[in-house]
Amino acid sequence: MRKAFSNLSALLLLVSTILAGCSSNQTSSDAERKEEATKNVKQEITLNALSEPPSLDPALATDTTSGWVIDHLFEGLYTKNKKGEPVLGAASDVKVSDDGKTYTFTIREDAKWSDGDPVTAQDFEYAWKRVLNPETGSAFAFYMYYIKGAEEYNKGKASVDEVGVKALDDKTLQVQLDAPLSYFDKLLTMWTFYPVKKSLVESNKKWAAEAEGYVSNGAYKLTSWKHNSEVVVEKNEHYWNKDEINMEKVTWKMVNDATTYYQMYKTGELDLIQTLPTDVIAQEKDSEEFKIVPYFGTYMFMFNVEKEPFNNPKIRRAFAMAINRKAIVNNITKSGETPAYAFVPYGVNTPDGDFRKVGGTYFKENAKEAKKLLQEGMKEEGWNKLPEVTLMYNTAENNKKVAEAVQEMIKNTLGVKIKLANQEWKTYLETTAQSNFQMARMGWIGIFVDPTVILDYYLGDSPNNRTKWVNGKFDNLMAQAKVEQDETKRFQLLHEAEKVLMADMPFMPVYFYSQNYLTSKKFKGIVYPINRYPDVRWAKKIAD
Amino acid sequence: MYIVKRVLTMFLTIWIIATLTFIIMKFIPGDPFVSDADVLPEEVLQNIRAKYNLDKPLPVQYALYMKNLLMFDLGPSIQSETRDVNTLIADGFPVSALLGLQSLIIALVFGLLLGIVAALNHNRFLDYAAMFLAIIGISVPSFILAPLLIKYFAVEWKLLPVASWGTWAHSVLPSVALATTPMAVIARFIRSSMLEVMKQNYIKTAEAKGLSPIAIVVKHGIRNAILPVITFIGPLFVVLITGTFVIEKIFAIPGLGKYFVDSIFNRDYPVILGTTVFLVLFL
């Protein structure tokens, strides 16, 4: 009980800033006075993590909630700038060998841990090998398989010494890859590649379980972690780039109930909330504080290409063409999603522009055409009547509404009655993993912003590919794209791969996700990445 | 001898329940490590399973678990990767217990008050008013009452914080929301047993002795009428202090209640077993 009330002072502080917020009403247009007033505003922000972050250990975290906090606490060799592009972080320089396989990083002279000790190349070497160590049981270890010897070590087939990560001296880290990897810089911004302090982690296995003794190297340090209640981080005075960091203190509350966090936002107990319920969106959609950001993910229905009737590509395409995606995003999901006629969502910058805009759409909704295709497909298979179809989804209100709409649309355009079935999430994952479905709902979100992470989903040997669709040409193009060093050529290969995928359609895309936010007008400079929660490192509180 | 027998029965009960939970739990399809849509390569999964001893055959898993249970080690949590079940319970239980105790006190005080007032004013306005309140208390579920409390006390009148945990003020609304149903039940219990008691001969004797009405109600009435309520308080107490999923979710309280539900959805085997055993220990 004492524990729960020990941080009373911290809370009072928070409450007092909120109370203060009610009294002042700054509307001055005089820029100078505004600047002056801003100086006295306590630079603190309260966010909502929704739930307890499962792990604040970069090696073990696999979810965006943990990643949200960890991204503020740590910094990798590369970090993301305000535009979301990878820029050098803890490293000050990088040299890539001519064959693109060997990277030599120089760790910044002034890179320091939050306890003041220097960040060394050995810390990175230790951290990465720790991720790969089978005993660590890191779920994201496979993101490191591009490194020489990494996969073999993680699968217990080689020793740790064969892993191509080596600290040449305190400040020089050499990384050897199996093959050149065009998006290695993007990959390095992922938390799995963050360093951990070797001496600390070696001596204390539970170093990441509590705030006490927790050491990080990024913009913030962990000062308090009340489990299932709140995480507080404060500016790290040892961070090399601390002058760029404006927000002094960030608090994540863990409020899971949508009505509750909306009300906490309304009373000022939270400064920024995400994932608003549909009724709130309807209420707030014209507010200045409301914001919709595209999210780098695709909502889709997978087809099992070995089960009738979806063994026939024409029938798959007919289904894809038969539904009205605009109606789904405008009338059902209603939070700013975009209809999807391809797999890779918007948001990837390429030399020729946005990847999706360059690639365009791969099919059109057309009832007549769809019906024709269905007839052709049935003729090819010699069916007079289409085998019965069951559409599966995991139990959730939104999925149910979308599935029911699709059922209705298919009935109207194709004259086919399909059945619906739903299962609880974990059971559903097991059922679909065994390809025990005909047509099943799935969502896929890119952990970093590159078409590769999206398209990899349907590789022949991808554990994610539940459709049994295997296409040598597609796999081949993807493999070529991964080693292609020339950006323009690489994106061309990826476009070709997507074309192959969309010609066969082992799935039908429905929409590209979006994320919605309410942000207090007191804050400026918050960055809303398209595949992560907001980054508040550069945020500024401009009014109390 | 009696105590020894009781303790032995307790251990036997715990063992049986832990075993049954273990068996049922393993029957639920699904894998704790397949959390998102992202499916991990088989070898990676192998490594993680090995970490939690889930790669071993079931009887070995069972034996290992029972061995650790004997040493009061409930094992690591799968969902909260860096923490173990013992600390989850140690962190969550004081919060739930405080909340439970507060609501028990509220429920008892107001329940008794309402019940007695109703009984003493049998079939009069106050009786109907009190029982009307009690009916509302029983029939309005806490997930409706809680948002209403938040709307008025926190959002409109700004008297108390909306949710979260930290100061005593944070615990007021959830305690009230949690107390309403038991309060109403207690009120109705007390009313009926009070009515029963007040018809007894010894009350008439007390009246004949010339005792003041207050003395009669307090000394003879309540003391006898409270008995059925006391038998009901035991299990109620356990239910209240081990946490409630709904109230904890609405008010963002770091209590124990969420684990009973979340652990099953997450297939977090050690937490499922740990919380069940912990609850049994109390009952």
Side-chain angles (χ1 to χ4, degrees), chain A residues 117-130:
Chain A
D117 289 348
V119 175
T120 63
Q122 285 88 354
D123 288 329
F124 273 96
E125 183 188 344
Y126 173 74
W128 294 12
K129 286 183 173 168
R130 177 168 168 263

Side-chain angles (χ1 to χ4, degrees), chain B residues 246-281:
Chain B
V246 175
I247 293 289
E248 281 179 15
K249 185 168 185 280
I250 294 178
F251 289 99
I253 294 165
L256 213 52
K258 65 172 289 216
Y259 296 121
F260 288 99
V261 179
D262 283 354
S263 62
I264 297 173
F265 283 114
N266 294 328
R267 308 287 191 271
D268 195 339
Y269 299 133
V271 179
I272 299 178
L273 274 168
T275 46
T276 313
V277 169
F278 184 74
L279 184 70
V280 172
L281 206 66

Side-chain angles (χ1 to χ4, degrees), chain A residues 339-357:
Chain A
Y341 303 95
F343 194 22
V344 180
Y346 292 92
V348 185
N349 291 321
T350 76
D352 300 321
D354 188 279
F355 183 86
R356 181 71 284 125
K357 282 183 188 145

Side-chain angles (χ1 to χ4, degrees), chain B residues 78-203:
Chain B
I78 295 172
Q79 178 68 16
S80 265
E81 292 174 73
T82 41
R83 309 180 68 226
D84 52 49
V85 183
N86 290 43
T87 36
L88 290 186
I89 292 177
D91 280 354
F93 180 60
V95 175
S96 294
L98 173 82
L99 199 64
L101 271 177
Q102 271 185 194
S103 21
L104 188 68
I105 293 169
I106 297 174
L108 270 180
V109 170
F110 289 92
L112 282 178
L113 221 64
L114 277 180
I116 292 164
V117 167
L120 294 183
N121 295 285
H122 188 43
N123 283 344
R124 270 178 287 174
F125 173 71
L126 278 179
D127 181 18
Y128 294 133
M131 282 310 107
F132 180 69
L133 274 180
I135 297 267
I136 288 185
I138 290 174
S139 42
V140 175
S142 52
F143 61 85
I144 303 231
L145 184 71
L148 278 177
L149 288 174
I150 293 179
K151 182 162 192 286
Y152 289 102
F153 287 91
V155 180
E156 303 255 319
W157 304 328
K158 301 196 182 347
L159 296 173
L160 292 161
V162 174
S164 189
W165 193 248
T167 62
W168 182 74
H170 286 108
S171 73
V172 177
L173 290 183
S175 297
V176 172
L178 194 55
T180 320
T181 309
M183 181 194 80
V185 174
I186 290 173
R188 285 169 58 100
F189 256 112
I190 284 284
R191 176 179 175 270
S192 59
S193 68
M194 197 67 181
L195 284 175
E196 191 72 23
V197 168
M198 294 308 272
K199 280 185 210 137
Q200 299 294 320
N201 287 334
Y202 56 80
I203 298 289

Side-chain angles (χ1 to χ4, degrees), chain A residues 7 103 119 136 144 176-177 180 186 206 226 301 376 424 481:
Chain A
N7 271 13
Y103 283 69
V119 175
T136 311
M144 287 194 176
Q176 284 173 295
L177 304 181
K186 283 185 193 171
K206 302 214 154 208
K226 283 188 258 163
F301 291 106
E376 283 174 25
E424 177 267 347

Side-chain angles (χ1 to χ4, degrees), chain A residues 14 24 84 97 111 117 287 291 363 369 380-381 396 408 433 478 503:
Chain A
L14 196 90
S24 97
S97 66
D117 289 348
S287 157
K291 192 176 175 73
F363 63 95
E369 196 65 18
E380 279 173 21
E381 304 293 330
E408 191 63 27
M478 288 305 293

